[in-house]
């Protein structure tokens, strides 16, 4: 939050996008780490949130209402598709979520009232009553306030009784079920929660950019969230934040290098694809727990040695 | 009627591509339990390589075979990364192959650029019962038929093929009788590369291919493979053909842009139906 006030204008846009990515990643991390489910379609919920907020405010409803509706509609959508889809496990669910996103994007490109493939334009800036959020600084505050809410909610869920049930679920569904965890309902709840986080981020994104189209939510975006969650460490909130930060900053740095003079025009995209993939592969092979747990364990080991 | 026939042949040809990619997924999955997300990449790599080889002056036939060989090499590399390290569980391996798929984007854009490429296939067309049929469609269907026959003979008649089937049905027992399960896994990845590669060189003349065609290919291939529960190559063939024909009919009689909804909706329905019939207990035990 302090950074939102101190960073200079040029850096703020990266800071905002980082916050948005972090929100979605916390949800992915919960879903993968606690409910043991892989979603390759998380950007679909981001899109639902974005379109909800965008559509409502384009039609003249107050932006606050749009932003409040974004996570709700995303969660509702998750519940509706989750009831059949969550019967699937492992790679089946991974492909099913990917398929959902592809269907959604294709539909959004077809439907007139969503603007078709051209998308929704002229989404008003976010504001409440007479107040209107103008510059990037305001959006930075809004984004990171939302990140704080997301982290708080996620923490409370994990520490609650339901959270313990979820952890049991990740290890063995059958054991959890026999211990009295309502498996189906718990999975659906995490799915909906992660969708709500993504929807909230999507809503803010729509107001911030002022323009959304099916092309704003590619499949690669969903995969980015998985990379961030895996690199940071599944099932840890700080891991999700660390993973999102590490990757957004790294990609930004490489973008700067890639757009320097004398670099070929394809350099930025090649560099970012390479970063995502190499980090993902390296993390799965050599740091299965992820960044944050690995560092924590090392610190703990050093602590015991010193004592 | 003639329109129906041309949609049908078109759909069968496109479906053959899905079937080949799907059977590559099956070949890898039944032996290693890994769903190889990079399977679509093999087709892209082979299609793009074939275009380059042809540009470099290699004759037709040689260029395509060389391109399939490149895809086999890619398959072995993916296999090494995905299952080379002991104790990599299937879901981690899925995420690794996902990573390799994205890494391939970087390599492909560097070598071939980001624009779609194609090359001329078998030229010419003829009329069959009033419908115009391009010869390339028949070539695709014919090569696929030969490939699946060879695949059947390979699994049924050769030592390596039987070894693969043994690993598929019980890895532990296969190991006990002296089959190197890890090497069989690599062989399966190589086979997956070959099947994907064949799909790539066959389909590229029909529709230009670029680095990000991979997502559509893998999703359709997976949809085809799901018909047989990811374990039966023959069912993947049937699945691919059904899918291809259904998409062609929707595109022909309805609206082309709804193709993907039909294919994916079908896949989701089949998966959910299969999941409803398999109790959770059995799935976790495997």
């Amino acid at each position: 939050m302090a950074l939102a006030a101190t960073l200079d204008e040029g850096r703020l846009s990266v800071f905002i996008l980082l916050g948005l990515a972090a929100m979605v990643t916390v949800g992915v991390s919960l879903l993968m780490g606690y409910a043991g489910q892989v979603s390759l379609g998380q950007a679909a919920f981001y899109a639902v949130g974005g379109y909800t907020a965008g559509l409502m405010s384009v039609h003249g409803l107050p932006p606050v209402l749009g932003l409040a509706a974004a996570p709700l509609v995303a969660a509702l959508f998750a519940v509706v598709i989750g009831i059949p889809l969550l019967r699937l496990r492992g790679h089946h669910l991974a492909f099913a979520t990917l398929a959902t996103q592809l269907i959604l994007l294709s539909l959004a490109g077809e439907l007139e009232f969503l603007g078709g493939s051209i998308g929704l334009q002229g989404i008003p800036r976010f504001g409440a009553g007479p107040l209107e959020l103008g510059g990037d600084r305001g959006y930075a505050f809004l984004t990171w306030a939302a990140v704080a809410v997301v982290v708080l909610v996620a923490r409370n869920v994990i520490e609650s009784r339901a959270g313990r049930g979820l952890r049991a679920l990740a290890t063995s569904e059958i054991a959890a079920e026999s211990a009295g965890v309502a498996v189906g309902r718990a999975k659906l709840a995490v799915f909906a929660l992660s969708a709500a986080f993504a929807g909230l981020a999507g809503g803010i994104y729509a107001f911030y950019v002022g323009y959304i189209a099916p092309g704003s939510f590619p499949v690669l975006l969903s995969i980015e969230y998985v990379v961030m969650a895996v690199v940071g460490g599944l099932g840890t909130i700080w891991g999700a934040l660390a993973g999102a930060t590490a990757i957004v900053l790294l990609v930004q740095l490489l973008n700067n290098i890639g757009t320097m003079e004398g670099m070929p025009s394809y350099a930025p995209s090649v560099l970012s694809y390479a970063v995502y993939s190499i980090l993902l592969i390296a993390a799965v092979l050599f740091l299965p727990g992820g960044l944050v747990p690995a560092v924590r364990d090392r610190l703990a080991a050093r602590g015991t040695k010193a004592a | 009627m003639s329109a129906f026939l041309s949609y049908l042949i078109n759909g069968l040809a496109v479906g053959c591509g899905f079937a080949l990619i799907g059977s590559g997924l099956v070949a890898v999955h039944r032996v290693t339990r890994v769903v190889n997300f990079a399977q679509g990449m093999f087709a892209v790599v082979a299609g793009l390589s074939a275009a380059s080889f042809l540009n470099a002056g290699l004759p037709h036939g040689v260029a395509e075979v060389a391109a399939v060989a490149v895809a086999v090499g890619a398959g072995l590399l993916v296999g090494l990364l995905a299952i080379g390290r002991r104790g990599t569980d299937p879901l981690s391996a899925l995420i690794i192959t996902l990573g390799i798929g994205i890494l391939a984007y970087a390599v492909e854009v560097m070598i071939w650029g980001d624009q779609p490429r194609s090359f001329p296939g078998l030229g010419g067309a003829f009329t069959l019962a009033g419908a115009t049929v391009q010869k390339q469609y028949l070539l695709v269907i014919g090569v696929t038929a030969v490939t699946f026959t060879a695949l059947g003979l390979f699994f049924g008649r050769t030592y390596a093929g039987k070894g693969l089937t043994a690993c598929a049905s019980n890895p532990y027992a296969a190991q006990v009788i002296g089959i190197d399960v890890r090497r069989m896994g690599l062989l399966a990845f190589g086979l997956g590369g070959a099947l994907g590669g064949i799909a790539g060189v066959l389909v590229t003349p029909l529709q230009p291919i670029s680095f990000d065609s991979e997502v559509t290919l893998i999703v359709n291939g997976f949809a085809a493979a799901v018909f047989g529960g990811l374990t039966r190559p023959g069912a993947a063939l049937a699945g691919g053909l059904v899918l291809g024909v259904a998409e062609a009919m929707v595109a022909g009689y309805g609206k082309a842009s709804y193709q993907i909804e039909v294919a994916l909706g079908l896949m989701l329905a089949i998966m959910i139906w299969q999941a409803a019939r398999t109790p959770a207990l059995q799935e976790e035990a495997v």
Side-chain angles (χ1 to χ4, degrees), chain A residues 88-89 91-92 95-96 106-107 110 172-174 220 270 273 277 280 285-286, chain B residues 35 85 95-96 99 102-103 106 222 230 255 257 260-261 268 271 280-281 283-284:
Chain A
L88 307 171
R89 285 183 191 75
H91 49 254
H92 287 104
F95 272 91
S106 172
L107 281 179
E110 286 299 315
S172 164
E173 270 185 35
I174 298 164
L220 198 63
V270 165
Y273 294 146
S277 53
L280 183 64
L285 283 180
F286 303 111
Chain B
V35 174
R85 194 179 160 93
I95 294 181
I96 291 178
I102 311 277
L103 186 59
F222 185 81
L230 287 172
K255 218 172 152 189
S257 44
I260 190 115
E261 279 93 333
L268 290 177
M271 287 202 297
L281 199 62
E283 257 181 50
E284 260 184 47

mmCIF file of all heavy atoms in Angstrom, chain A residues 88-89 91-92 95-96 106-107 110 172-174 220 270 273 277 280 285-286, chain B residues 35 85 95-96 99 102-103 106 222 230 255 257 260-261 268 271 280-281 283-284:
data_model
loop_
_atom_site.group_PDB
_atom_site.id
_atom_site.type_symbol
_atom_site.label_atom_id
_atom_site.label_comp_id
_atom_site.label_asym_id
_atom_site.label_seq_id
_atom_site.Cartn_x
_atom_site.Cartn_y
_atom_site.Cartn_z
ATOM 1 N N LEU A 88 -15.060 -34.109 -12.367
ATOM 2 C CA LEU A 88 -13.836 -34.539 -13.054
ATOM 3 C C LEU A 88 -12.627 -34.276 -12.171
ATOM 4 O O LEU A 88 -12.645 -33.419 -11.314
ATOM 5 C CB LEU A 88 -13.683 -33.761 -14.360
ATOM 6 C CG LEU A 88 -14.881 -33.803 -15.284
ATOM 7 C CD1 LEU A 88 -14.704 -32.840 -16.418
ATOM 8 C CD2 LEU A 88 -15.063 -35.215 -15.814
ATOM 9 N N ARG A 89 -11.576 -35.064 -12.438
ATOM 10 C CA ARG A 89 -10.365 -34.918 -11.644
ATOM 11 C C ARG A 89 -9.157 -34.733 -12.544
ATOM 12 O O ARG A 89 -9.190 -35.080 -13.714
ATOM 13 C CB ARG A 89 -10.118 -36.184 -10.843
ATOM 14 C CG ARG A 89 -11.016 -36.305 -9.688
ATOM 15 C CD ARG A 89 -10.694 -37.540 -8.887
ATOM 16 N NE ARG A 89 -11.759 -37.728 -7.938
ATOM 17 C CZ ARG A 89 -12.953 -38.192 -8.279
ATOM 18 N NH1 ARG A 89 -13.183 -38.556 -9.506
ATOM 19 N NH2 ARG A 89 -13.901 -38.284 -7.381
ATOM 20 N N HIS A 91 -6.242 -34.359 -14.944
ATOM 21 C CA HIS A 91 -6.109 -33.761 -16.267
ATOM 22 C C HIS A 91 -7.461 -33.556 -16.932
ATOM 23 O O HIS A 91 -7.619 -32.684 -17.773
ATOM 24 C CB HIS A 91 -5.197 -34.597 -17.158
ATOM 25 C CG HIS A 91 -5.527 -36.045 -17.172
ATOM 26 N ND1 HIS A 91 -4.749 -36.983 -16.516
ATOM 27 C CD2 HIS A 91 -6.540 -36.722 -17.717
ATOM 28 C CE1 HIS A 91 -5.289 -38.164 -16.697
ATOM 29 N NE2 HIS A 91 -6.370 -38.042 -17.412
ATOM 30 N N HIS A 92 -8.471 -34.344 -16.540
ATOM 31 C CA HIS A 92 -9.795 -34.124 -17.116
ATOM 32 C C HIS A 92 -10.319 -32.732 -16.734
ATOM 33 O O HIS A 92 -10.832 -32.006 -17.571
ATOM 34 C CB HIS A 92 -10.784 -35.186 -16.645
ATOM 35 C CG HIS A 92 -10.543 -36.519 -17.290
ATOM 36 N ND1 HIS A 92 -9.941 -37.563 -16.634
ATOM 37 C CD2 HIS A 92 -10.781 -36.951 -18.531
ATOM 38 C CE1 HIS A 92 -9.852 -38.583 -17.463
ATOM 39 N NE2 HIS A 92 -10.346 -38.243 -18.616
ATOM 40 N N PHE A 95 -8.433 -29.951 -18.594
ATOM 41 C CA PHE A 95 -8.913 -29.723 -19.958
ATOM 42 C C PHE A 95 -10.322 -29.148 -19.964
ATOM 43 O O PHE A 95 -10.671 -28.348 -20.827
ATOM 44 C CB PHE A 95 -8.853 -31.005 -20.782
ATOM 45 C CG PHE A 95 -7.530 -31.192 -21.455
ATOM 46 C CD1 PHE A 95 -6.516 -31.876 -20.835
ATOM 47 C CD2 PHE A 95 -7.296 -30.638 -22.697
ATOM 48 C CE1 PHE A 95 -5.281 -32.028 -21.440
ATOM 49 C CE2 PHE A 95 -6.079 -30.777 -23.315
ATOM 50 C CZ PHE A 95 -5.055 -31.477 -22.683
ATOM 51 N N ALA A 96 -11.142 -29.557 -19.006
ATOM 52 C CA ALA A 96 -12.511 -29.056 -18.963
ATOM 53 C C ALA A 96 -12.518 -27.555 -18.690
ATOM 54 O O ALA A 96 -13.284 -26.809 -19.313
ATOM 55 C CB ALA A 96 -13.314 -29.792 -17.900
ATOM 56 N N SER A 106 -15.211 -17.740 -27.365
ATOM 57 C CA SER A 106 -15.860 -17.824 -28.662
ATOM 58 C C SER A 106 -17.247 -17.197 -28.604
ATOM 59 O O SER A 106 -17.651 -16.468 -29.512
ATOM 60 C CB SER A 106 -15.930 -19.291 -29.082
ATOM 61 O OG SER A 106 -16.694 -19.431 -30.228
ATOM 62 N N LEU A 107 -17.975 -17.451 -27.508
ATOM 63 C CA LEU A 107 -19.313 -16.860 -27.350
ATOM 64 C C LEU A 107 -19.229 -15.344 -27.256
ATOM 65 O O LEU A 107 -20.008 -14.628 -27.889
ATOM 66 C CB LEU A 107 -19.993 -17.421 -26.094
ATOM 67 C CG LEU A 107 -20.599 -18.814 -26.231
ATOM 68 C CD1 LEU A 107 -21.203 -19.251 -24.904
ATOM 69 C CD2 LEU A 107 -21.670 -18.815 -27.319
ATOM 70 N N GLU A 110 -19.072 -13.701 -30.385
ATOM 71 C CA GLU A 110 -20.258 -13.827 -31.227
ATOM 72 C C GLU A 110 -21.385 -12.888 -30.806
ATOM 73 O O GLU A 110 -22.120 -12.377 -31.638
ATOM 74 C CB GLU A 110 -20.813 -15.262 -31.152
ATOM 75 C CG GLU A 110 -20.009 -16.291 -31.889
ATOM 76 C CD GLU A 110 -19.928 -15.987 -33.363
ATOM 77 O OE1 GLU A 110 -20.981 -15.655 -33.953
ATOM 78 O OE2 GLU A 110 -18.826 -16.026 -33.908
ATOM 79 N N SER A 172 -6.282 -36.806 0.281
ATOM 80 C CA SER A 172 -7.057 -37.938 -0.220
ATOM 81 C C SER A 172 -8.532 -37.629 -0.101
ATOM 82 O O SER A 172 -9.043 -37.353 0.992
ATOM 83 C CB SER A 172 -6.738 -39.203 0.565
ATOM 84 O OG SER A 172 -7.747 -40.156 0.311
ATOM 85 N N GLU A 173 -9.200 -37.669 -1.241
ATOM 86 C CA GLU A 173 -10.620 -37.355 -1.224
ATOM 87 C C GLU A 173 -11.407 -38.357 -0.401
ATOM 88 O O GLU A 173 -12.326 -38.006 0.332
ATOM 89 C CB GLU A 173 -11.166 -37.358 -2.648
ATOM 90 C CG GLU A 173 -11.077 -36.005 -3.286
ATOM 91 C CD GLU A 173 -11.726 -35.976 -4.643
ATOM 92 O OE1 GLU A 173 -12.738 -36.663 -4.830
ATOM 93 O OE2 GLU A 173 -11.203 -35.264 -5.502
ATOM 94 N N ILE A 174 -11.009 -39.634 -0.529
ATOM 95 C CA ILE A 174 -11.779 -40.675 0.151
ATOM 96 C C ILE A 174 -11.629 -40.554 1.660
ATOM 97 O O ILE A 174 -12.601 -40.626 2.415
ATOM 98 C CB ILE A 174 -11.319 -42.061 -0.333
ATOM 99 C CG1 ILE A 174 -11.603 -42.174 -1.829
ATOM 100 C CG2 ILE A 174 -12.036 -43.166 0.431
ATOM 101 C CD1 ILE A 174 -10.876 -43.306 -2.489
ATOM 102 N N LEU A 220 -3.250 -18.116 -22.734
ATOM 103 C CA LEU A 220 -1.930 -17.938 -22.136
ATOM 104 C C LEU A 220 -2.035 -17.242 -20.779
ATOM 105 O O LEU A 220 -1.251 -17.513 -19.862
ATOM 106 C CB LEU A 220 -1.043 -17.128 -23.082
ATOM 107 C CG LEU A 220 0.452 -17.218 -22.798
ATOM 108 C CD1 LEU A 220 0.929 -18.649 -22.989
ATOM 109 C CD2 LEU A 220 1.225 -16.285 -23.699
ATOM 110 N N VAL A 270 9.114 -13.648 -27.383
ATOM 111 C CA VAL A 270 9.942 -14.837 -27.210
ATOM 112 C C VAL A 270 10.494 -14.902 -25.793
ATOM 113 O O VAL A 270 10.442 -15.937 -25.120
ATOM 114 C CB VAL A 270 11.095 -14.843 -28.236
ATOM 115 C CG1 VAL A 270 12.157 -15.847 -27.848
ATOM 116 C CG2 VAL A 270 10.556 -15.156 -29.617
ATOM 117 N N TYR A 273 7.689 -15.831 -23.268
ATOM 118 C CA TYR A 273 7.342 -17.259 -23.342
ATOM 119 C C TYR A 273 8.423 -18.084 -22.662
ATOM 120 O O TYR A 273 8.141 -19.015 -21.897
ATOM 121 C CB TYR A 273 7.238 -17.732 -24.798
ATOM 122 C CG TYR A 273 6.109 -17.128 -25.584
ATOM 123 C CD1 TYR A 273 6.245 -16.875 -26.937
ATOM 124 C CD2 TYR A 273 4.910 -16.823 -24.969
ATOM 125 C CE1 TYR A 273 5.219 -16.317 -27.679
ATOM 126 C CE2 TYR A 273 3.884 -16.261 -25.709
ATOM 127 C CZ TYR A 273 4.043 -16.012 -27.046
ATOM 128 O OH TYR A 273 3.028 -15.449 -27.770
ATOM 129 N N SER A 277 7.965 -20.525 -19.287
ATOM 130 C CA SER A 277 8.115 -21.967 -19.399
ATOM 131 C C SER A 277 9.283 -22.464 -18.585
ATOM 132 O O SER A 277 9.177 -23.469 -17.877
ATOM 133 C CB SER A 277 8.282 -22.335 -20.864
ATOM 134 O OG SER A 277 9.325 -21.584 -21.423
ATOM 135 N N LEU A 280 8.477 -22.392 -14.932
ATOM 136 C CA LEU A 280 7.483 -23.414 -14.587
ATOM 137 C C LEU A 280 8.138 -24.793 -14.501
ATOM 138 O O LEU A 280 7.966 -25.526 -13.521
ATOM 139 C CB LEU A 280 6.385 -23.415 -15.645
ATOM 140 C CG LEU A 280 5.232 -24.389 -15.399
ATOM 141 C CD1 LEU A 280 4.489 -23.989 -14.146
ATOM 142 C CD2 LEU A 280 4.277 -24.407 -16.571
ATOM 143 N N LEU A 285 10.279 -29.311 -11.301
ATOM 144 C CA LEU A 285 11.315 -30.340 -11.167
ATOM 145 C C LEU A 285 12.152 -30.164 -9.900
ATOM 146 O O LEU A 285 12.468 -31.137 -9.211
ATOM 147 C CB LEU A 285 12.228 -30.326 -12.393
ATOM 148 C CG LEU A 285 11.668 -30.962 -13.661
ATOM 149 C CD1 LEU A 285 12.685 -30.872 -14.788
ATOM 150 C CD2 LEU A 285 11.299 -32.425 -13.429
ATOM 151 N N PHE A 286 12.540 -28.921 -9.611
ATOM 152 C CA PHE A 286 13.552 -28.745 -8.563
ATOM 153 C C PHE A 286 13.035 -28.099 -7.295
ATOM 154 O O PHE A 286 13.647 -28.200 -6.244
ATOM 155 C CB PHE A 286 14.727 -27.941 -9.120
ATOM 156 C CG PHE A 286 15.331 -28.582 -10.340
ATOM 157 C CD1 PHE A 286 15.214 -28.001 -11.583
ATOM 158 C CD2 PHE A 286 15.988 -29.800 -10.225
ATOM 159 C CE1 PHE A 286 15.756 -28.616 -12.701
ATOM 160 C CE2 PHE A 286 16.533 -30.416 -11.336
ATOM 161 C CZ PHE A 286 16.419 -29.827 -12.579
ATOM 162 N N VAL B 35 -0.634 -36.988 -19.335
ATOM 163 C CA VAL B 35 -1.310 -36.376 -20.466
ATOM 164 C C VAL B 35 -0.360 -35.336 -21.024
ATOM 165 O O VAL B 35 -0.006 -34.376 -20.346
ATOM 166 C CB VAL B 35 -2.637 -35.727 -20.043
ATOM 167 C CG1 VAL B 35 -3.229 -34.967 -21.212
ATOM 168 C CG2 VAL B 35 -3.588 -36.794 -19.588
ATOM 169 N N ARG B 85 13.113 -37.622 -14.746
ATOM 170 C CA ARG B 85 13.476 -37.552 -13.343
ATOM 171 C C ARG B 85 12.542 -38.457 -12.560
ATOM 172 O O ARG B 85 11.330 -38.362 -12.680
ATOM 173 C CB ARG B 85 13.308 -36.104 -12.886
ATOM 174 C CG ARG B 85 13.942 -35.773 -11.575
ATOM 175 C CD ARG B 85 13.677 -34.301 -11.309
ATOM 176 N NE ARG B 85 13.838 -33.999 -9.895
ATOM 177 C CZ ARG B 85 14.981 -33.561 -9.382
ATOM 178 N NH1 ARG B 85 16.011 -33.371 -10.141
ATOM 179 N NH2 ARG B 85 15.063 -33.311 -8.083
ATOM 180 N N ILE B 95 1.977 -30.518 -15.943
ATOM 181 C CA ILE B 95 2.358 -29.104 -15.853
ATOM 182 C C ILE B 95 3.700 -28.879 -16.550
ATOM 183 O O ILE B 95 3.912 -27.863 -17.201
ATOM 184 C CB ILE B 95 2.377 -28.654 -14.377
ATOM 185 C CG1 ILE B 95 0.944 -28.705 -13.853
ATOM 186 C CG2 ILE B 95 2.933 -27.253 -14.244
ATOM 187 C CD1 ILE B 95 0.769 -28.287 -12.447
ATOM 188 N N ILE B 96 4.614 -29.877 -16.460
ATOM 189 C CA ILE B 96 5.888 -29.744 -17.173
ATOM 190 C C ILE B 96 5.651 -29.694 -18.677
ATOM 191 O O ILE B 96 6.202 -28.842 -19.377
ATOM 192 C CB ILE B 96 6.833 -30.910 -16.826
ATOM 193 C CG1 ILE B 96 7.280 -30.786 -15.371
ATOM 194 C CG2 ILE B 96 8.055 -30.897 -17.743
ATOM 195 C CD1 ILE B 96 8.167 -31.896 -14.925
ATOM 196 N N GLY B 99 4.537 -26.452 -19.707
ATOM 197 C CA GLY B 99 5.673 -25.531 -19.787
ATOM 198 C C GLY B 99 6.440 -25.728 -21.081
ATOM 199 O O GLY B 99 6.831 -24.752 -21.732
ATOM 200 N N ILE B 102 4.827 -24.050 -23.995
ATOM 201 C CA ILE B 102 5.057 -22.596 -24.067
ATOM 202 C C ILE B 102 6.497 -22.321 -24.501
ATOM 203 O O ILE B 102 6.761 -21.395 -25.275
ATOM 204 C CB ILE B 102 4.806 -21.940 -22.694
ATOM 205 C CG1 ILE B 102 3.479 -22.386 -22.127
ATOM 206 C CG2 ILE B 102 4.887 -20.430 -22.811
ATOM 207 C CD1 ILE B 102 2.320 -21.653 -22.599
ATOM 208 N N LEU B 103 7.433 -23.132 -24.010
ATOM 209 C CA LEU B 103 8.834 -22.966 -24.401
ATOM 210 C C LEU B 103 8.954 -23.132 -25.916
ATOM 211 O O LEU B 103 9.694 -22.409 -26.586
ATOM 212 C CB LEU B 103 9.695 -24.013 -23.684
ATOM 213 C CG LEU B 103 11.202 -23.892 -23.861
ATOM 214 C CD1 LEU B 103 11.684 -22.545 -23.356
ATOM 215 C CD2 LEU B 103 11.930 -24.999 -23.129
ATOM 216 N N ALA B 106 8.405 -20.038 -27.895
ATOM 217 C CA ALA B 106 9.565 -19.161 -28.019
ATOM 218 C C ALA B 106 10.461 -19.640 -29.150
ATOM 219 O O ALA B 106 10.884 -18.858 -30.002
ATOM 220 C CB ALA B 106 10.325 -19.123 -26.699
ATOM 221 N N PHE B 222 -7.345 -34.035 -27.595
ATOM 222 C CA PHE B 222 -7.748 -34.567 -26.289
ATOM 223 C C PHE B 222 -9.206 -35.004 -26.336
ATOM 224 O O PHE B 222 -9.571 -36.057 -25.804
ATOM 225 C CB PHE B 222 -7.549 -33.500 -25.211
ATOM 226 C CG PHE B 222 -7.828 -33.986 -23.813
ATOM 227 C CD1 PHE B 222 -6.879 -34.699 -23.122
ATOM 228 C CD2 PHE B 222 -9.048 -33.726 -23.204
ATOM 229 C CE1 PHE B 222 -7.128 -35.155 -21.846
ATOM 230 C CE2 PHE B 222 -9.305 -34.178 -21.929
ATOM 231 C CZ PHE B 222 -8.333 -34.896 -21.243
ATOM 232 N N LEU B 230 -8.852 -42.316 -22.914
ATOM 233 C CA LEU B 230 -7.409 -42.063 -23.021
ATOM 234 C C LEU B 230 -6.569 -43.333 -23.027
ATOM 235 O O LEU B 230 -5.378 -43.296 -22.774
ATOM 236 C CB LEU B 230 -6.916 -41.159 -21.880
ATOM 237 C CG LEU B 230 -7.297 -39.692 -21.947
ATOM 238 C CD1 LEU B 230 -6.897 -38.986 -20.668
ATOM 239 C CD2 LEU B 230 -6.633 -39.016 -23.120
ATOM 240 N N LYS B 255 -23.228 -22.359 -38.505
ATOM 241 C CA LYS B 255 -22.356 -21.207 -38.510
ATOM 242 C C LYS B 255 -20.955 -21.682 -38.176
ATOM 243 O O LYS B 255 -20.758 -22.387 -37.192
ATOM 244 C CB LYS B 255 -22.854 -20.225 -37.446
ATOM 245 C CG LYS B 255 -22.742 -18.794 -37.881
ATOM 246 C CD LYS B 255 -23.415 -17.902 -36.874
ATOM 247 C CE LYS B 255 -22.749 -16.546 -36.906
ATOM 248 N NZ LYS B 255 -23.190 -15.684 -35.841
ATOM 249 N N SER B 257 -18.456 -20.365 -36.907
ATOM 250 C CA SER B 257 -17.809 -19.966 -35.668
ATOM 251 C C SER B 257 -18.290 -20.797 -34.482
ATOM 252 O O SER B 257 -17.712 -20.731 -33.411
ATOM 253 C CB SER B 257 -18.048 -18.490 -35.419
ATOM 254 O OG SER B 257 -19.394 -18.195 -35.685
ATOM 255 N N ILE B 260 -16.180 -24.688 -32.534
ATOM 256 C CA ILE B 260 -15.427 -25.000 -31.326
ATOM 257 C C ILE B 260 -16.356 -25.320 -30.166
ATOM 258 O O ILE B 260 -16.095 -26.225 -29.383
ATOM 259 C CB ILE B 260 -14.453 -23.851 -30.992
ATOM 260 C CG1 ILE B 260 -13.486 -24.250 -29.885
ATOM 261 C CG2 ILE B 260 -15.167 -22.582 -30.612
ATOM 262 C CD1 ILE B 260 -12.075 -24.295 -30.345
ATOM 263 N N GLU B 261 -17.511 -24.625 -30.109
ATOM 264 C CA GLU B 261 -18.475 -24.922 -29.043
ATOM 265 C C GLU B 261 -18.964 -26.369 -29.150
ATOM 266 O O GLU B 261 -19.099 -27.064 -28.149
ATOM 267 C CB GLU B 261 -19.688 -23.989 -29.118
ATOM 268 C CG GLU B 261 -19.482 -22.616 -28.515
ATOM 269 C CD GLU B 261 -19.026 -21.605 -29.546
ATOM 270 O OE1 GLU B 261 -18.389 -22.033 -30.540
ATOM 271 O OE2 GLU B 261 -19.301 -20.408 -29.354
ATOM 272 N N LEU B 268 -16.859 -32.265 -23.149
ATOM 273 C CA LEU B 268 -17.258 -32.107 -21.752
ATOM 274 C C LEU B 268 -18.334 -33.117 -21.394
ATOM 275 O O LEU B 268 -18.281 -33.765 -20.342
ATOM 276 C CB LEU B 268 -17.783 -30.681 -21.512
ATOM 277 C CG LEU B 268 -16.741 -29.579 -21.555
ATOM 278 C CD1 LEU B 268 -17.397 -28.225 -21.369
ATOM 279 C CD2 LEU B 268 -15.692 -29.788 -20.483
ATOM 280 N N MET B 271 -16.823 -36.576 -20.984
ATOM 281 C CA MET B 271 -16.024 -36.713 -19.760
ATOM 282 C C MET B 271 -16.901 -36.814 -18.527
ATOM 283 O O MET B 271 -16.650 -37.608 -17.627
ATOM 284 C CB MET B 271 -15.078 -35.516 -19.622
ATOM 285 C CG MET B 271 -13.928 -35.545 -20.595
ATOM 286 S SD MET B 271 -12.544 -34.556 -20.035
ATOM 287 C CE MET B 271 -13.250 -32.939 -19.989
ATOM 288 N N ALA B 280 -15.153 -42.914 -7.486
ATOM 289 C CA ALA B 280 -13.920 -42.228 -7.120
ATOM 290 C C ALA B 280 -12.863 -43.212 -6.613
ATOM 291 O O ALA B 280 -11.684 -43.073 -6.866
ATOM 292 C CB ALA B 280 -14.205 -41.190 -6.045
ATOM 293 N N LEU B 281 -13.322 -44.231 -5.922
ATOM 294 C CA LEU B 281 -12.408 -45.188 -5.286
ATOM 295 C C LEU B 281 -11.474 -45.804 -6.323
ATOM 296 O O LEU B 281 -10.266 -45.857 -6.155
ATOM 297 C CB LEU B 281 -13.239 -46.278 -4.627
ATOM 298 C CG LEU B 281 -12.520 -47.093 -3.560
ATOM 299 C CD1 LEU B 281 -12.111 -46.189 -2.424
ATOM 300 C CD2 LEU B 281 -13.405 -48.210 -3.063
ATOM 301 N N GLU B 283 -10.692 -44.706 -9.271
ATOM 302 C CA GLU B 283 -9.789 -43.776 -9.919
ATOM 303 C C GLU B 283 -8.588 -43.471 -9.064
ATOM 304 O O GLU B 283 -7.471 -43.374 -9.543
ATOM 305 C CB GLU B 283 -10.518 -42.479 -10.240
ATOM 306 C CG GLU B 283 -10.878 -42.407 -11.706
ATOM 307 C CD GLU B 283 -11.571 -41.115 -12.036
ATOM 308 O OE1 GLU B 283 -11.047 -40.066 -11.651
ATOM 309 O OE2 GLU B 283 -12.628 -41.164 -12.670
ATOM 310 N N GLU B 284 -8.787 -43.338 -7.757
ATOM 311 C CA GLU B 284 -7.651 -43.007 -6.910
ATOM 312 C C GLU B 284 -6.704 -44.187 -6.789
ATOM 313 O O GLU B 284 -5.503 -44.016 -6.654
ATOM 314 C CB GLU B 284 -8.120 -42.548 -5.528
ATOM 315 C CG GLU B 284 -8.105 -41.042 -5.431
ATOM 316 C CD GLU B 284 -8.457 -40.544 -4.060
ATOM 317 O OE1 GLU B 284 -7.902 -41.071 -3.092
ATOM 318 O OE2 GLU B 284 -9.294 -39.641 -3.967
#
